[in-house]
Amino acid sequence: MTLWRQVLAALNDDSLDDATREEIIARGAAQLATRRTPQGVQATPDDVMRIAFEEFSTLLAGDTARKALRQTHRQG
C-alpha cells in the first residue's frame, strides 16, 4: 500500500492504536516536509510536527517526528 493510502486509512480507521496512527501520519508529514523544504535545506522535526498539525489535524511527539524524518532521509 502506498504511503498516502496508509495515511488516509490511518486518519479514518478507528481500529488502529494511537501509536500506529501517529507513526503513519508522521511518515506522511515527514515526506511533505522534505518535499516542501527548499533545495539545500533539510526539513526539521518542527516542520514535520507543523505539517502534521496543519494538514492532518494531528499533534505529533517530537520523537515520532524525528524518527519519521530519519526514515524519510534514508529512503530519499
Side-chain angles (χ1 to χ4, degrees):
M1 185 181 307
T2 69
L3 174 59
W4 298 113
R5 285 184 184 200
Q6 290 175 347
V7 170
L8 288 173
L11 291 168
N12 294 303
D13 186 352
D14 292 337
S15 69
L16 290 176
D17 61 76
D18 290 340
T20 301
R21 178 178 290 107
E22 186 174 313
E23 182 180 310
I24 293 168
I25 292 170
R27 288 194 338 251
Q31 190 174 87
L32 284 175
T34 300
R35 288 181 178 178
R36 292 178 181 176
T37 302
Q39 189 172 359
V41 178
Q42 286 197 347
T44 67
D46 287 339
D47 294 329
V48 176
M49 292 187 291
R50 179 182 45 78
I51 287 172
F53 182 73
E54 291 173 357
E55 299 292 337
F56 307 122
S57 300
T58 301
L59 294 173
L60 294 180
D63 290 343
T64 305
R66 278 187 288 281
K67 179 180 175 185
L69 202 51
R70 281 193 305 268
Q71 290 173 341
T72 300
H73 288 306
R74 276 190 235 132
Q75 293 172 356

